[in-house]
Amino acid sequence: MTSALLFKEWKKTKWFAIGAFAVGLALLTYIFLKLGRSFRMVGLEHLWDVIVNRDQFLFRDVKYFPLATGFCLALAQFVPEMIQKRIKLSLHLPLSNRKIVFSMLGFGLLALLSIFVLHLIVILTFSVFYFPMEIIESMVYTLLPWYVAGLTAYAFTSWICLEPTWKRRIFNALLMFASLQLCFLSDFPAAYSLVVSVVLLIPLYVLPFGYFSVQRFKVGIQD
Amino acid sequence: MQQAIVECKNLTHYYGKRCIYENLNFEIPQGRILGLLGKNGTGKTTTINILNGYLKPRSGECLMFGESSANLSSETKRKVGLLIEGHIQYSFMNISEIEKFYSAFYPKWRKDAYYELMKLLKIDPKQKISRMSCGQRSQVALGLILAQDPELLILDDFSMGLDPGYRMLFVDYLSEYAKAENKTVFVTSHIIQDMERLIDDCLIMDYGRIVMQKPVTDLLESFKRFKFNCENPEAINEISDIYNPVTIKGNTEVYSLLAKEDLESLMRKNNVMTNEIQEESLSLEEAFIGLTGKY
């Protein structure tokens, strides 16, 4: 039964997930080509100076990609459920409501993590050929908050979609903007090295709230 | 007395300050088809939503298979086939995907029942539900419910958006299935002709109240229209047991559960001057209008 639920989620989000992964790869290809051009034009010494002495981050173009992916995946997954209150069909399935909602959210989280992990693998595989371990470590700490922002955007957007009233949706959206700010406080390389685990808690904390909004829908709360 | 599959006890619901109904009570015994009839906005969908646990009533409770509808167990949900108003289904799936999807949840799944109905549609199994007409979607939704083989079917406004052909196909299929398999059905529709061919019992609602709850055959045997010419029609409005009197150019029309003789004596007692009263039998639709009025 759980695999049937996951199949339904896959049917809804398949083209978006494949598209997001492809766009991400295209973005990385663009960044690699740009870097390759810089290697050739200005030389590796200059690039080293830019990274180490001027604290510039070479993958800055990735910054908003996870955010957009998380936001759009939640829309692709939950807007079809809320149009014509189609979620009633899901809630009528012979499973507990908790299992139904958390399977849907779990699927989204897993899909997003898969896209993000594959992207990070591509970035890191490229980087280990050109940069020492210290710089790669700094890169990971710089990139992680941006990817966590993607997970946070997913958790909040799914909560907003599942919420039955506009007043609360607007409140949730304001909370989302405030929480996302925490992931974009600084572009300075490895600025988040000490707090990245705390930032990581934000999406995990917000994700279950979607279930409470479904419970509000269940008792008939509406505008 | 057969066991009640659905019991609604003292249901009261308001949207804000607007009363939908107060102290609504009804039961659906096993194997009966109950039709909930009412004009738009009288609370048909509200009742379905409360029954399925998608709305908490202001007071009162609904039981399905003895379980509170607010917290149905998976086992009880499995016994209930639900058709949502507008034949809503997962429109991003095609007809074979949706069949596979639902079959995973229902151990008694009857694939053949679903595909028998799909054959009538003459469409490609790979066609997405979103690209189907409303009539085709209604057949997919019905096919899925029949394949689920539930003990109780709840159908909210099944005739919505359907042309006469599809409406008739839906009614014929459903009625044959329900009678052959002794299924319990709770159905709402605003097209009363369809209901007459389908339901055993009717529950007729008007704004804020139930006006009639009877087996359809009893209603049609006892509820009649009476026509006569009347000199003082305003006096009729004072008489109880008469529904929706209308007088146009001296021709008066009333509806009542009384026998013709009883009505005549009631008129005389209330000094209503009439010529000979003509009695007419009614269709369910006419009885519905007689009970709830044209407006």
Side-chain angles (χ1 to χ4, degrees):
Chain A
M1 284 189 277
T2 310
S3 57
L5 268 184
L6 299 181
F7 166 75
K8 171 171 79 77
E9 299 310 305
W10 172 242
K11 277 299 297 177
K12 270 188 295 186
T13 54
K14 178 172 70 176
W15 292 115
F16 172 77
I18 293 169
F21 181 66
V23 168
L25 276 188
L27 181 67
L28 292 182
T29 310
Y30 162 75
I31 293 169
F32 296 151
L33 289 173
K34 206 168 81 171
L35 281 178
R37 186 170 164 273
S38 300
F39 289 169
R40 288 192 303 278
M41 301 293 283
V42 295
L44 288 172
E45 294 81 2
H46 177 71
L47 217 56
W48 179 257
D49 179 51
V50 164
I51 296 167
V52 176
N53 298 324
R54 296 187 210 171
D55 292 318
Q56 291 297 306
F57 186 58
L58 298 179
F59 292 94
R60 187 159 289 145
D61 292 328
V62 168
K63 189 174 180 180
Y64 294 109
F65 167 76
L67 178 74
T69 307
F71 180 72
C72 294
L73 181 73
L75 291 182
Q77 202 181 350
F78 292 104
V79 168
E81 294 284 343
M82 298 318 281
I83 289 176
Q84 298 177 297
K85 298 182 179 170
R86 202 170 274 132
I87 196 163
K88 283 181 185 177
L89 290 171
S90 300
L91 297 178
H92 186 67
L93 293 169
L95 290 171
S96 72
N97 292 338
R98 194 187 298 257
K99 187 164 186 181
I100 292 165
V101 175
F102 283 110
S103 298
M104 290 160 85
L105 291 168
F107 171 87
L109 201 62
L110 206 68
L112 214 51
L113 278 173
S114 310
I115 295 170
F116 291 173
V117 167
L118 285 171
H119 279 183
L120 281 172
I121 287 173
V122 174
I123 293 173
L124 296 178
T125 309
F126 170 85
S127 304
V128 288
F129 284 110
Y130 296 98
F131 303 112
M133 217 47 214
E134 289 80 0
I135 287 188
I136 290 173
E137 196 180 316
S138 152
M139 272 170 60
V140 169
Y141 282 125
T142 312
L143 285 167
L144 263 183
W146 298 345
Y147 282 91
V148 172
L151 300 177
T152 307
Y154 172 78
F156 268 106
T157 310
S158 53
W159 183 24
I160 291 166
C161 290
L162 291 168
E163 167 57 39
T165 63
W166 279 104
K167 213 161 47 176
R168 287 260 182 133
R169 278 181 185 158
I170 291 166
F171 176 74
N172 296 351
L174 293 174
L175 267 184
M176 174 171 79
F177 289 124
S179 306
L180 286 173
Q181 291 297 317
L182 297 175
C183 301
F184 295 104
L185 290 174
S186 171
D187 284 355
F188 192 84
Y192 279 82
S193 57
L194 294 176
V195 290
V196 74
S197 53
V198 178
V199 176
L200 194 58
L201 291 178
I202 301 171
L204 297 177
Y205 182 71
V206 176
L207 202 68
F209 289 164
Y211 173 69
F212 299 119
S213 282
V214 170
Q215 289 301 93
R216 281 163 52 73
F217 172 84
K218 271 264 303 164
V219 294
I221 291 172
Q222 57 183 4
D223 288 313
Chain B
M1 181 70 185
Q2 283 166 308
Q3 185 204 345
I5 299 292
V6 173
E7 290 171 86
C8 284
K9 297 176 189 169
N10 301 317
L11 273 191
T12 297
H13 195 65
Y14 284 76
Y15 285 120
K17 286 183 181 167
R18 191 180 141 227
C19 172
I20 303 302
Y21 40 65
E22 273 182 332
N23 295 318
L24 177 72
N25 288 287
F26 69 91
E27 284 188 358
I28 314 178
Q30 191 189 2
R32 300 290 288 180
I33 306 180
L34 174 73
L36 180 58
L37 318 183
K39 293 174 184 170
N40 293 337
T42 50
K44 299 188 296 295
T45 299
T46 298
T47 309
I48 297 256
N49 281 338
I50 292 172
L51 252 182
N52 284 291
Y54 298 133
L55 184 60
K56 193 177 170 193
R58 180 76 60 93
S59 64
E61 67 167 349
C62 268
L63 303 177
M64 282 210 276
F65 298 95
E67 226 172 69
S68 168
S69 64
N71 286 302
L72 294 175
S73 66
S74 304
E75 231 10 82
T76 300
K77 285 200 266 183
R78 191 171 277 132
K79 291 181 197 168
V80 181
L82 174 65
L83 180 84
I84 297 174
E85 188 175 1
H87 314 106
I88 308 293
Q89 266 307 337
Y90 296 116
S91 53
F92 45 85
M93 293 192 198
N94 62 38
I95 63 172
S96 75
E97 284 167 345
I98 203 163
E99 187 273 324
K100 271 189 203 132
F101 168 70
Y102 277 110
S103 66
F105 296 93
Y106 300 99
K108 292 192 288 175
W109 188 255
R110 294 163 58 173
K111 190 176 181 175
D112 51 330
Y114 174 75
Y115 279 108
E116 191 186 320
L117 202 51
M118 290 309 102
K119 259 191 234 159
L120 300 175
L121 296 182
K122 296 186 180 74
I123 52 172
D124 181 1
K126 300 280 172 214
Q127 186 174 334
K128 272 198 180 169
I129 293 168
S130 59
R131 288 195 216 119
M132 291 180 185
S133 71
C134 190
Q136 289 171 326
R137 279 205 312 271
S138 75
Q139 298 308 294
V140 172
L142 179 64
L144 291 169
I145 290 176
L146 300 190
Q148 182 189 331
D149 198 24
E151 288 176 39
L152 168 68
L153 290 85
I154 297 179
L155 315 172
D156 189 10
D157 211 348
F158 70 88
S159 46
M160 190 182 184
L162 300 187
D163 64 30
Y166 273 116
R167 270 181 13 229
M168 213 157 275
L169 180 65
F170 198 105
V171 168
D172 289 347
Y173 238 87
L174 183 64
S175 130
E176 216 169 279
Y177 169 78
K179 290 199 165 91
E181 310 260 343
N182 194 32
K183 301 291 183 189
T184 310
V185 183
F186 182 51
V187 59
T188 74
S189 172
H190 61 274
I191 300 188
I192 316 288
Q193 299 117 292
D194 296 339
M195 299 287 253
E196 190 166 356
R197 304 173 58 227
L198 177 68
I199 61 178
D200 302 316
D201 305 304
C202 66
L203 199 159
I204 299 179
M205 293 175 87
D206 206 352
Y207 297 99
R209 69 201 172 104
I210 291 181
V211 285
M212 189 69 67
Q213 188 173 359
K214 263 179 185 294
V216 175
T217 46
D218 289 5
L219 175 70
L220 298 184
E221 262 172 35
S222 55
F223 193 64
K224 305 286 179 189
R225 178 166 52 211
F226 299 95
K227 287 181 172 173
F228 47 85
N229 290 324
C230 182
E231 290 170 16
N232 53 340
E234 59 288 344
I236 301 172
N237 295 326
E238 308 303 317
I239 308 173
S240 58
D241 296 329
I242 283 181
Y243 294 85
N244 294 303
V246 177
T247 302
I248 300 170
K249 292 183 178 171
N251 298 314
T252 302
E253 211 178 81
V254 300
Y255 297 84
S256 180
L257 287 161
L258 297 171
K260 187 180 166 186
E261 301 72 39
D262 296 336
L263 183 75
E264 282 169 340
S265 69
L266 192 66
M267 293 287 188
R268 275 197 298 276
K269 204 172 125 190
N270 286 276
N271 300 317
V272 179
M273 304 301 157
T274 67
N275 64 350
E276 198 193 339
I277 295 177
Q278 290 175 338
E279 182 185 305
E280 290 178 354
S281 294
L282 302 174
S283 65
L284 184 59
E285 186 171 51
E286 289 168 321
F288 174 76
I289 295 291
L291 285 164
T292 61
K294 288 175 184 161
Y295 307 104

